[in-house]
């Protein structure tokens, strides 16, 4: 399973506020048919699932600002694809918490 951190930034919008774009992206995630898990943070969205599924979802998410009139979109993607053992957002946080005891 892969974990992806994703930030999508529409460029050249009429306002500096991006919360409507973020909300619309979250709606697309909620409706995804792919077996993914996601979490919105204050600076990005984290998605976990099979890499092929994630890339399909990311492509749809990248299109959201264009659908709202943006002429340019910058999408940053960071991928953590661990294959030696099962990894998840929850497992990574637990691992760190255990080491803090």
């Amino acid at each position: 399973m892969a974990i992806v951190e994703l930030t999508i930034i529409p460029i050249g919008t009429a306002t500096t506020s991006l919360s409507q774009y973020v909300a619309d992206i979250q709606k697309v995630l909620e409706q995804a048919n792919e077996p993914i898990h996601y979490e919105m943070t204050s600076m990005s969205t984290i998605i976990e699932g099979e890499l092929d599924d994630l890339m399909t979802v990311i492509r749809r998410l990248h299109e959201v600002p264009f659908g709202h009139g943006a002429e340019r979109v910058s999408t940053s993607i960071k991928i953590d694809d661990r294959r030696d053992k099962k990894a998840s957002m929850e497992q990574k946080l637990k691992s760190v918490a255990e080491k803090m005891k």
Side-chain angles (χ1 to χ4, degrees):
M1 182 174 319
I3 302 169
V4 172
E5 181 180 32
L6 174 71
T7 305
I8 300 172
I9 303 170
I11 299 171
T13 62
T15 177
T16 57
S17 176
L18 300 178
S19 58
Q20 186 60 59
Y21 291 96
V22 173
D24 293 339
I25 286 168
Q26 294 300 307
K27 289 176 189 173
V28 171
L29 282 168
E30 287 175 1
Q31 298 168 359
N33 292 324
E34 293 80 5
I36 61 167
H37 178 71
Y38 64 92
E39 181 178 322
M40 180 180 67
T41 74
S42 61
M43 297 292 291
S44 63
T45 298
I46 302 169
I47 314 169
E48 68 182 15
E50 294 303 319
L51 189 56
D52 287 341
D53 290 334
L54 295 176
M55 298 307 284
T56 298
V57 170
I58 289 167
R59 175 67 180 163
R60 284 198 309 269
L61 299 177
H62 178 78
E63 291 297 322
V64 169
F66 289 115
H68 292 286
E71 294 291 327
R72 185 175 182 183
V73 176
S74 174
T75 297
S76 298
I77 304 167
K78 187 187 314 182
I79 301 171
D80 180 355
D81 188 9
R82 186 168 185 170
R83 298 187 179 174
D84 63 329
K85 67 178 188 177
K86 186 174 177 143
S88 68
M89 293 183 285
E90 182 180 358
Q91 173 270 323
K92 289 178 78 166
L93 292 173
K94 282 182 180 178
S95 179
V96 173
E98 289 171 4
K99 290 169 178 64
M100 292 176 64
K101 293 179 182 176

XYZ file of all heavy atoms in Angstrom:
791
model
N 0.836 -1.175 0.000
C 0.000 0.000 0.000
C 0.884 1.242 0.000
O 1.903 1.285 0.674
C -0.898 -0.010 1.242
C -1.833 1.159 1.269
S -3.059 1.200 2.594
C -3.624 -0.447 2.717
N 0.495 2.240 -0.740
C 1.244 3.483 -0.825
C 0.519 4.584 -0.065
O -0.696 4.540 0.132
C 1.416 3.888 -2.284
N 1.293 5.564 0.356
C 0.754 6.753 1.005
C 1.221 7.948 0.184
O 2.405 8.065 -0.148
C 1.248 6.876 2.459
C 0.849 5.630 3.256
C 0.707 8.145 3.103
C 1.509 5.539 4.614
N 0.282 8.817 -0.159
C 0.590 9.979 -0.996
C 0.188 11.247 -0.263
O -0.919 11.337 0.273
C -0.163 9.898 -2.345
C -0.001 11.172 -3.137
C 0.312 8.705 -3.154
N 1.100 12.205 -0.238
C 0.770 13.542 0.240
C 0.592 14.415 -0.992
O 1.444 14.428 -1.884
C 1.870 14.100 1.129
C 1.543 15.477 1.667
C 2.634 16.040 2.549
O 3.824 15.739 2.305
O 2.311 16.790 3.463
N -0.503 15.134 -1.030
C -0.915 15.835 -2.241
C -1.306 17.272 -1.910
O -2.058 17.514 -0.960
C -2.120 15.078 -2.808
C -2.879 15.620 -3.980
C -2.026 15.508 -5.226
C -4.159 14.830 -4.145
N -0.778 18.209 -2.690
C -1.173 19.606 -2.585
C -1.503 20.100 -3.985
O -0.687 19.976 -4.893
C -0.053 20.467 -1.980
O 0.336 19.920 -0.722
C -0.508 21.907 -1.784
N -2.711 20.631 -4.149
C -3.162 21.136 -5.451
C -3.402 22.632 -5.313
O -4.185 23.061 -4.458
C -4.448 20.420 -5.900
C -4.185 18.922 -6.015
C -4.969 21.006 -7.216
C -5.416 18.090 -6.263
N -2.729 23.415 -6.148
C -2.826 24.866 -6.058
C -3.266 25.447 -7.391
O -2.537 25.372 -8.385
C -1.471 25.485 -5.655
C -1.000 24.887 -4.328
C -1.580 27.009 -5.580
C 0.413 25.248 -3.954
N -4.468 26.034 -7.440
C -4.885 26.741 -8.648
C -4.137 28.075 -8.718
O -3.937 28.730 -7.689
C -6.384 26.947 -8.452
C -6.601 26.879 -6.982
C -5.502 26.023 -6.418
N -3.725 28.450 -9.886
C -2.962 29.689 -10.069
C -3.777 30.652 -10.924
O -4.395 30.254 -11.906
C -1.599 29.388 -10.731
C -0.799 28.442 -9.818
C -0.828 30.663 -11.024
C 0.458 27.905 -10.431
N -3.746 31.930 -10.537
C -4.429 32.948 -11.309
C -5.917 33.023 -11.031
O -6.710 33.318 -11.913
N -6.305 32.755 -9.788
C -7.717 32.835 -9.437
C -8.072 34.275 -9.048
O -7.189 35.095 -8.795
C -8.048 31.896 -8.268
O -7.295 32.293 -7.112
C -7.706 30.455 -8.622
N -9.337 34.554 -8.955
C -9.801 35.908 -8.648
C -9.616 36.273 -7.177
O -9.702 37.440 -6.818
C -11.270 36.045 -9.034
N -9.373 35.291 -6.323
C -9.240 35.531 -4.888
C -8.072 34.727 -4.333
O -7.660 33.729 -4.928
C -10.547 35.153 -4.146
O -10.348 35.330 -2.737
C -10.953 33.718 -4.418
N -7.551 35.165 -3.195
C -6.475 34.410 -2.546
C -7.010 33.242 -1.721
O -6.253 32.366 -1.328
C -5.643 35.328 -1.625
O -6.511 35.942 -0.673
C -4.924 36.393 -2.432
N -8.305 33.225 -1.470
C -8.912 32.134 -0.713
C -9.001 30.872 -1.574
O -9.432 30.921 -2.730
C -10.324 32.516 -0.256
O -10.927 31.424 0.398
N -8.586 29.756 -1.012
C -8.608 28.480 -1.738
C -9.529 27.454 -1.097
O -9.622 26.328 -1.565
C -7.194 27.911 -1.842
C -6.170 28.789 -2.562
C -4.802 28.125 -2.535
C -6.603 29.082 -3.984
N -10.234 27.829 -0.036
C -11.019 26.848 0.706
C -12.124 26.208 -0.140
O -12.436 25.037 0.063
C -11.610 27.473 1.975
O -12.412 28.590 1.665
N -12.701 26.921 -1.087
C -13.733 26.309 -1.929
C -13.131 25.232 -2.828
O -13.725 24.180 -3.035
C -14.460 27.355 -2.781
C -15.640 26.776 -3.552
C -16.702 26.170 -2.638
O -17.262 26.843 -1.791
N -16.968 24.893 -2.793
N -11.923 25.483 -3.339
C -11.237 24.470 -4.140
C -10.955 23.232 -3.289
O -11.152 22.102 -3.732
C -9.916 25.014 -4.705
C -10.085 26.072 -5.753
C -10.021 27.418 -5.437
C -10.302 25.724 -7.081
C -10.170 28.404 -6.403
C -10.452 26.694 -8.063
C -10.383 28.032 -7.715
O -10.538 28.988 -8.684
N -10.486 23.456 -2.064
C -10.187 22.344 -1.154
C -11.466 21.556 -0.869
O -11.467 20.323 -0.903
C -9.541 22.853 0.155
C -9.388 21.721 1.162
C -8.199 23.507 -0.143
N -12.553 22.264 -0.606
C -13.830 21.587 -0.330
C -14.269 20.752 -1.530
O -14.729 19.613 -1.365
C -14.897 22.619 0.023
N -14.128 21.282 -2.721
C -14.528 20.546 -3.920
C -13.643 19.323 -4.152
O -14.120 18.271 -4.582
C -14.518 21.462 -5.137
C -15.598 22.538 -5.058
O -16.582 22.348 -4.302
O -15.461 23.565 -5.729
N -12.373 19.444 -3.831
C -11.458 18.300 -3.935
C -11.851 17.233 -2.919
O -11.854 16.034 -3.225
C -9.998 18.772 -3.762
C -9.552 19.509 -5.040
C -9.071 17.614 -3.423
C -8.266 20.274 -4.905
N -12.210 17.644 -1.705
C -12.632 16.683 -0.681
C -13.901 15.947 -1.120
O -14.057 14.755 -0.871
C -12.845 17.380 0.662
C -11.574 17.939 1.270
C -10.519 16.879 1.535
O -10.768 15.880 2.183
N -9.322 17.113 1.025
N -14.806 16.659 -1.789
C -16.025 16.022 -2.293
C -15.700 14.931 -3.312
O -16.314 13.862 -3.315
C -16.955 17.062 -2.918
C -17.603 17.982 -1.917
C -18.424 19.050 -2.629
C -18.895 20.119 -1.671
N -19.552 21.240 -2.372
N -14.731 15.200 -4.179
C -14.319 14.196 -5.169
C -13.731 12.982 -4.441
O -14.000 11.840 -4.816
C -13.319 14.793 -6.182
C -12.718 13.713 -7.066
C -14.013 15.863 -7.034
N -12.950 13.209 -3.408
C -12.401 12.096 -2.626
C -13.508 11.274 -1.973
O -13.453 10.048 -1.975
C -11.442 12.622 -1.552
C -10.054 13.013 -2.032
C -9.312 13.773 -0.951
C -9.277 11.794 -2.477
N -14.503 11.949 -1.423
C -15.620 11.249 -0.779
C -16.358 10.338 -1.754
O -16.881 9.300 -1.369
C -16.624 12.257 -0.205
C -16.162 12.965 1.029
C -17.144 14.033 1.490
O -18.209 14.211 0.864
O -16.838 14.697 2.493
N -16.407 10.736 -3.013
C -17.155 9.990 -4.028
C -16.305 8.976 -4.787
O -16.820 8.279 -5.662
C -17.788 10.977 -5.018
C -18.778 11.911 -4.362
C -19.184 13.067 -5.264
O -18.715 13.198 -6.378
N -20.060 13.922 -4.777
N -15.033 8.866 -4.441
C -14.136 7.960 -5.166
C -14.596 6.508 -5.023
O -14.927 6.056 -3.928
C -12.709 8.108 -4.657
N -14.634 5.802 -6.139
C -14.975 4.382 -6.130
C -13.785 3.505 -5.758
O -13.960 2.348 -5.376
C -15.509 3.955 -7.506
C -16.852 4.598 -7.805
O -17.666 4.782 -6.919
N -17.067 4.949 -9.051
N -12.589 4.043 -5.879
C -11.384 3.284 -5.562
C -11.299 3.059 -4.045
O -11.733 3.898 -3.260
C -10.136 4.042 -6.034
C -10.008 4.167 -7.539
C -10.866 5.282 -8.136
O -11.508 6.049 -7.383
O -10.891 5.399 -9.365
N -10.722 1.934 -3.621
C -10.589 1.648 -2.188
C -9.428 2.443 -1.578
O -8.306 1.957 -1.468
C -10.330 0.142 -2.143
C -9.689 -0.158 -3.463
C -10.271 0.815 -4.453
N -9.701 3.679 -1.218
C -8.682 4.556 -0.657
C -9.133 5.040 0.715
O -10.301 4.971 1.066
C -8.411 5.775 -1.563
C -9.686 6.610 -1.729
C -7.836 5.338 -2.911
C -9.471 7.981 -2.327
N -8.181 5.538 1.464
C -8.446 6.210 2.731
C -7.733 7.549 2.635
O -6.619 7.620 2.113
C -7.905 5.378 3.897
C -8.091 6.027 5.229
N -9.318 6.155 5.837
C -7.200 6.607 6.062
C -9.176 6.773 6.985
N -7.894 7.053 7.146
N -8.344 8.607 3.131
C -7.714 9.919 3.018
C -7.940 10.741 4.274
O -8.835 10.485 5.076
C -8.242 10.680 1.799
C -9.708 11.004 1.874
C -10.139 12.203 2.408
C -10.660 10.090 1.451
C -11.488 12.487 2.500
C -12.005 10.372 1.531
C -12.414 11.576 2.060
O -13.746 11.853 2.164
N -7.075 11.737 4.426
C -7.167 12.648 5.553
C -6.731 14.034 5.092
O -5.647 14.190 4.531
C -6.261 12.162 6.679
C -6.278 13.012 7.915
C -5.391 12.434 9.005
O -5.355 11.195 9.147
O -4.729 13.238 9.681
N -7.572 15.018 5.315
C -7.220 16.390 5.002
C -6.448 16.966 6.185
O -6.816 16.751 7.338
C -8.488 17.219 4.748
C -8.190 18.668 4.423
S -9.680 19.652 4.109
C -10.434 19.658 5.730
N -5.375 17.674 5.903
C -4.651 18.405 6.940
C -4.729 19.894 6.581
O -5.280 20.256 5.540
C -3.176 17.963 7.030
O -2.452 18.482 5.916
C -3.053 16.444 7.082
N -4.176 20.721 7.408
C -4.252 22.160 7.152
C -3.403 22.597 5.956
O -3.610 23.686 5.414
C -3.819 22.941 8.398
O -2.480 22.628 8.729
N -2.482 21.751 5.522
C -1.584 22.128 4.428
C -1.637 21.206 3.220
O -1.094 21.539 2.173
C -0.134 22.172 4.941
C 0.097 23.211 6.007
S -0.054 24.894 5.385
C 1.385 24.996 4.343
N -2.253 20.032 3.358
C -2.270 19.079 2.253
C -3.324 18.011 2.538
O -4.001 18.051 3.558
C -0.895 18.413 2.092
O -0.575 17.655 3.245
N -3.429 17.073 1.627
C -4.289 15.906 1.819
C -3.413 14.673 1.697
O -2.542 14.601 0.833
C -5.419 15.877 0.766
O -6.222 17.050 0.936
C -6.289 14.647 0.920
N -3.642 13.704 2.561
C -2.894 12.452 2.547
C -3.864 11.353 2.149
O -4.968 11.257 2.689
C -2.257 12.169 3.920
C -1.332 13.331 4.296
C -1.494 10.846 3.881
C -0.853 13.297 5.718
N -3.449 10.542 1.187
C -4.296 9.465 0.674
C -3.490 8.172 0.722
O -2.310 8.161 0.379
C -4.717 9.727 -0.790
C -5.194 11.156 -0.996
C -5.788 8.745 -1.230
C -5.357 11.530 -2.462
N -4.142 7.069 1.118
C -3.455 5.779 1.082
C -4.292 4.782 0.306
O -5.520 4.862 0.271
C -3.147 5.259 2.484
C -4.350 4.876 3.293
C -3.991 4.402 4.699
O -2.867 4.618 5.171
O -4.867 3.804 5.340
N -3.605 3.859 -0.349
C -4.246 2.827 -1.145
C -3.237 2.225 -2.100
O -2.032 2.467 -1.980
N -3.710 1.457 -3.039
C -2.820 0.894 -4.050
C -2.390 2.019 -4.994
O -3.192 2.884 -5.357
C -3.517 -0.220 -4.822
C -3.844 -1.433 -3.963
C -2.622 -2.028 -3.284
O -1.545 -2.112 -3.929
O -2.733 -2.406 -2.106
N -1.129 1.998 -5.394
C -0.560 3.106 -6.162
C -1.338 3.392 -7.442
O -1.588 4.554 -7.769
C 0.915 2.844 -6.468
C 1.683 4.007 -7.082
C 1.597 5.265 -6.219
C 3.128 3.615 -7.310
N -1.735 2.368 -8.166
C -2.502 2.595 -9.399
C -3.805 3.333 -9.106
O -4.188 4.251 -9.834
C -2.800 1.278 -10.119
C -1.578 0.692 -10.795
O -0.599 1.434 -11.023
O -1.607 -0.513 -11.103
N -4.488 2.940 -8.041
C -5.732 3.612 -7.652
C -5.460 5.059 -7.267
O -6.206 5.973 -7.644
C -6.402 2.899 -6.481
C -6.972 1.543 -6.863
O -7.306 1.338 -8.043
O -7.090 0.679 -5.961
N -4.391 5.269 -6.509
C -4.062 6.628 -6.080
C -3.778 7.540 -7.267
O -4.242 8.681 -7.302
C -2.866 6.609 -5.131
C -3.085 5.900 -3.795
C -1.794 5.880 -2.996
C -4.202 6.545 -3.012
N -3.049 7.041 -8.242
C -2.722 7.871 -9.407
C -3.985 8.215 -10.206
O -4.114 9.331 -10.720
C -1.678 7.178 -10.284
C -0.355 6.946 -9.570
S 0.358 8.422 -8.812
C 0.985 9.248 -10.255
N -4.915 7.292 -10.265
C -6.192 7.563 -10.946
C -6.959 8.658 -10.213
O -7.487 9.588 -10.835
C -7.038 6.273 -11.018
O -6.322 5.303 -11.779
C -8.387 6.530 -11.656
N -7.011 8.556 -8.901
C -7.712 9.554 -8.099
C -7.017 10.912 -8.195
O -7.672 11.950 -8.355
C -7.822 9.088 -6.626
C -8.335 10.202 -5.731
C -8.706 7.864 -6.522
N -5.700 10.908 -8.123
C -4.945 12.162 -8.204
C -5.224 12.879 -9.515
O -5.389 14.102 -9.547
C -3.437 11.903 -8.022
C -3.160 11.514 -6.565
C -2.613 13.125 -8.434
C -1.779 10.947 -6.332
N -5.314 12.147 -10.594
C -5.615 12.755 -11.892
C -6.965 13.477 -11.847
O -7.086 14.604 -12.327
C -5.612 11.677 -12.990
C -6.017 12.162 -14.342
C -5.011 13.107 -14.911
N -5.472 13.533 -16.226
C -5.012 14.574 -16.849
N -4.047 15.283 -16.332
N -5.487 14.913 -18.013
N -7.972 12.841 -11.248
C -9.285 13.487 -11.117
C -9.203 14.723 -10.227
O -9.801 15.756 -10.519
C -10.319 12.508 -10.556
C -10.802 11.505 -11.574
C -12.113 10.837 -11.177
N -12.141 10.263 -9.843
C -11.809 9.008 -9.546
N -11.398 8.184 -10.488
N -11.901 8.573 -8.313
N -8.463 14.626 -9.140
C -8.333 15.758 -8.230
C -7.635 16.941 -8.898
O -8.014 18.095 -8.696
C -7.571 15.348 -6.968
C -8.205 14.244 -6.126
C -7.289 13.892 -4.959
C -9.584 14.638 -5.642
N -6.616 16.645 -9.688
C -5.868 17.689 -10.400
C -6.786 18.477 -11.343
O -6.585 19.666 -11.558
C -4.714 17.042 -11.179
C -3.916 18.003 -11.990
N -2.968 18.834 -11.429
C -3.928 18.273 -13.321
C -2.428 19.574 -12.391
N -2.993 19.251 -13.538
N -7.808 17.829 -11.861
C -8.735 18.472 -12.801
C -9.761 19.379 -12.122
O -10.355 20.239 -12.777
C -9.471 17.408 -13.618
C -8.588 16.657 -14.600
C -8.000 17.552 -15.680
O -8.705 18.476 -16.152
O -6.833 17.342 -16.050
N -9.971 19.227 -10.820
C -11.019 19.980 -10.130
C -10.878 21.493 -10.323
O -11.846 22.158 -10.710
C -11.090 19.601 -8.629
C -11.975 20.563 -7.855
C -11.580 18.166 -8.482
N -9.708 22.095 -10.074
C -9.611 23.553 -10.256
C -9.867 23.997 -11.697
O -10.440 25.072 -11.918
C -8.177 23.880 -9.830
C -7.789 22.767 -8.913
C -8.477 21.552 -9.477
N -9.470 23.189 -12.664
C -9.752 23.530 -14.058
C -11.258 23.598 -14.291
O -11.744 24.457 -15.026
C -9.119 22.523 -15.017
C -7.625 22.617 -15.107
C -6.824 21.570 -14.676
C -7.015 23.742 -15.630
C -5.448 21.641 -14.768
C -5.624 23.836 -15.722
C -4.843 22.773 -15.287
N -11.984 22.707 -13.639
C -13.430 22.692 -13.759
C -14.098 23.923 -13.159
O -15.266 24.201 -13.427
N -13.345 24.651 -12.358
C -13.867 25.875 -11.741
C -13.238 27.122 -12.343
O -13.256 28.184 -11.718
C -13.639 25.843 -10.231
C -14.461 24.794 -9.552
N -15.814 24.918 -9.346
C -14.124 23.587 -9.054
C -16.266 23.846 -8.750
N -15.263 23.014 -8.555
N -12.655 26.974 -13.522
C -12.158 28.142 -14.238
C -10.686 28.460 -14.100
O -10.209 29.413 -14.719
N -9.940 27.711 -13.293
C -8.504 27.977 -13.191
C -7.850 27.688 -14.535
O -8.197 26.717 -15.211
C -7.877 27.118 -12.097
N -6.928 28.538 -14.921
C -6.215 28.348 -16.181
C -4.910 27.586 -15.990
O -4.327 27.105 -16.951
C -5.916 29.718 -16.813
C -7.164 30.474 -17.237
C -7.859 29.820 -18.429
O -7.166 29.236 -19.290
O -9.099 29.889 -18.487
N -4.452 27.498 -14.729
C -3.198 26.816 -14.433
C -3.323 26.174 -13.059
O -3.886 26.772 -12.138
C -2.052 27.833 -14.449
C -0.692 27.245 -14.271
C 0.355 28.338 -14.437
N 1.690 27.789 -14.313
C 2.787 28.524 -14.348
N 2.707 29.830 -14.512
N 3.965 27.954 -14.234
N -2.782 24.969 -12.915
C -2.837 24.247 -11.644
C -1.469 23.633 -11.381
O -0.886 22.999 -12.265
C -3.923 23.142 -11.672
C -3.907 22.334 -10.387
C -5.296 23.741 -11.914
N -0.973 23.828 -10.170
C 0.281 23.215 -9.750
C -0.044 22.142 -8.715
O -0.619 22.444 -7.667
C 1.209 24.270 -9.144
O 2.379 23.669 -8.615
N 0.306 20.900 -9.008
C 0.049 19.788 -8.101
C 1.374 19.182 -7.655
O 2.186 18.781 -8.488
C -0.828 18.716 -8.782
O -2.094 19.296 -9.101
C -1.045 17.520 -7.873
N 1.577 19.135 -6.347
C 2.774 18.515 -5.776
C 2.372 17.184 -5.161
O 1.390 17.109 -4.417
C 3.380 19.409 -4.693
O 3.783 20.637 -5.247
N 3.159 16.148 -5.477
C 2.860 14.800 -5.016
C 4.117 14.218 -4.362
O 5.190 14.226 -4.958
C 2.441 13.886 -6.188
C 1.253 14.470 -6.942
C 2.147 12.477 -5.696
C 0.993 13.793 -8.270
N 3.948 13.709 -3.140
C 5.019 12.987 -2.462
C 4.505 11.577 -2.212
O 3.436 11.392 -1.624
C 5.369 13.664 -1.138
C 6.577 13.075 -0.465
C 6.821 13.626 0.928
C 6.722 15.114 1.035
N 7.016 15.609 2.400
N 5.233 10.564 -2.665
C 4.785 9.176 -2.569
C 5.701 8.384 -1.636
O 6.920 8.400 -1.803
C 4.774 8.496 -3.954
C 3.851 9.240 -4.911
C 4.370 7.027 -3.835
C 3.944 8.758 -6.354
N 5.099 7.691 -0.679
C 5.798 6.743 0.181
C 5.229 5.367 -0.159
O 4.095 5.054 0.198
C 5.556 7.083 1.650
C 6.264 6.126 2.609
O 6.874 5.139 2.146
O 6.189 6.364 3.821
N 5.997 4.574 -0.878
C 5.533 3.267 -1.366
C 6.417 2.194 -0.752
O 7.438 1.816 -1.308
C 5.598 3.249 -2.898
C 4.964 2.018 -3.507
O 4.316 1.252 -2.774
O 5.125 1.824 -4.723
N 6.034 1.719 0.409
C 6.817 0.708 1.131
C 6.314 -0.676 0.767
O 5.128 -0.960 0.873
C 6.700 0.945 2.636
C 7.592 0.027 3.415
C 7.690 0.447 4.846
N 8.655 -0.413 5.515
C 9.111 -0.206 6.718
N 8.702 0.836 7.412
N 9.978 -1.040 7.260
N 7.245 -1.569 0.393
C 6.838 -2.896 -0.067
C 7.375 -4.037 0.786
O 7.046 -5.186 0.550
C 7.255 -3.076 -1.523
C 6.544 -2.043 -2.401
C 6.761 -2.252 -3.828
N 6.026 -1.239 -4.584
C 6.111 -1.107 -5.884
N 6.880 -1.907 -6.581
N 5.420 -0.167 -6.497
N 8.185 -3.713 1.795
C 8.713 -4.793 2.632
C 7.739 -5.199 3.734
O 7.839 -6.286 4.284
C 10.065 -4.394 3.244
C 9.970 -3.192 4.170
O 9.100 -2.325 3.936
O 10.779 -3.117 5.112
N 6.797 -4.318 4.066
C 5.749 -4.666 5.022
C 4.592 -3.701 4.822
O 4.731 -2.651 4.205
C 6.248 -4.631 6.459
C 6.611 -3.258 6.983
C 7.053 -3.374 8.437
C 7.236 -2.011 9.074
N 7.589 -2.124 10.486
N 3.444 -4.082 5.359
C 2.247 -3.260 5.204
C 2.438 -1.931 5.924
O 2.854 -1.895 7.077
C 1.031 -3.993 5.739
C -0.256 -3.271 5.497
C -1.453 -4.088 5.921
C -2.704 -3.269 5.710
N -3.816 -4.048 5.253
N 2.125 -0.859 5.245
C 2.252 0.475 5.825
C 0.925 1.207 5.669
O 0.185 0.983 4.723
C 3.367 1.253 5.126
N 0.649 2.061 6.633
C -0.548 2.893 6.568
C -0.265 4.180 7.328
O 0.712 4.276 8.082
C -1.755 2.181 7.175
O -1.578 2.050 8.574
N -1.136 5.161 7.145
C -0.988 6.410 7.893
C -1.015 6.116 9.386
O -0.188 6.619 10.145
C -2.118 7.378 7.527
C -2.061 7.882 6.102
S -3.355 9.091 5.731
C -4.801 8.044 5.587
N -1.964 5.291 9.797
C -2.127 4.955 11.209
C -0.889 4.228 11.754
O -0.402 4.539 12.832
C -3.369 4.086 11.394
C -3.650 3.722 12.824
C -4.900 2.855 12.973
O -5.570 2.572 11.974
O -5.173 2.463 14.113
N -0.385 3.280 10.996
C 0.781 2.510 11.430
C 1.994 3.418 11.605
O 2.760 3.272 12.556
C 1.067 1.398 10.414
C 2.351 0.623 10.632
C 3.537 1.241 9.909
O 3.412 1.751 8.809
N 4.682 1.204 10.534
N 2.177 4.366 10.706
C 3.327 5.276 10.809
C 3.237 6.133 12.065
O 4.238 6.343 12.752
C 3.407 6.154 9.562
C 3.835 5.392 8.309
C 3.844 6.279 7.095
C 5.087 7.123 7.113
N 5.374 7.772 5.841
N 2.046 6.616 12.383
C 1.872 7.428 13.584
C 2.079 6.601 14.844
O 2.702 7.059 15.811
C 0.485 8.073 13.583
C 0.257 9.128 12.510
C -1.195 9.575 12.503
C 1.194 10.308 12.685
N 1.575 5.355 14.860
C 1.764 4.470 16.009
C 3.238 4.177 16.240
O 3.702 4.125 17.379
C 1.001 3.158 15.807
C -0.470 3.271 16.064
C -1.148 1.914 15.898
C -2.626 1.997 16.152
N -3.308 0.712 15.943
N 3.967 3.978 15.167
C 5.399 3.668 15.268
C 6.141 4.814 15.965
O 6.977 4.585 16.829
C 5.983 3.416 13.885
O 7.361 3.141 13.974
N 5.832 6.021 15.599
C 6.470 7.186 16.217
C 6.024 7.320 17.677
O 6.852 7.544 18.577
C 6.160 8.477 15.431
C 6.673 9.704 16.177
C 6.774 8.411 14.039
N 4.733 7.147 17.936
C 4.214 7.267 19.300
C 4.872 6.262 20.241
O 5.195 6.595 21.383
C 2.688 7.092 19.293
N 5.084 5.036 19.753
C 5.729 4.012 20.578
C 7.146 4.407 20.943
O 7.615 4.128 22.047
C 5.733 2.680 19.846
C 4.365 2.028 19.740
C 4.349 0.823 18.822
O 5.418 0.421 18.307
O 3.253 0.278 18.618
N 7.818 5.063 20.054
C 9.211 5.461 20.300
C 9.295 6.682 21.212
O 10.361 6.998 21.730
C 9.918 5.713 18.983
C 10.138 4.419 18.207
C 10.586 4.677 16.804
C 10.851 3.396 16.040
N 9.703 2.551 15.837
N 8.194 7.366 21.433
C 8.180 8.532 22.305
C 7.939 8.178 23.763
O 8.051 9.023 24.640
C 7.109 9.533 21.824
C 7.455 10.157 20.497
S 6.173 11.247 19.864
C 6.156 12.525 21.103
N 7.627 6.906 24.035
C 7.347 6.461 25.407
C 8.606 6.387 26.223
O 9.667 6.177 25.804
C 6.646 5.099 25.389
C 5.277 5.182 24.790
C 4.640 3.813 24.777
C 3.260 3.897 24.121
N 2.618 2.616 23.993
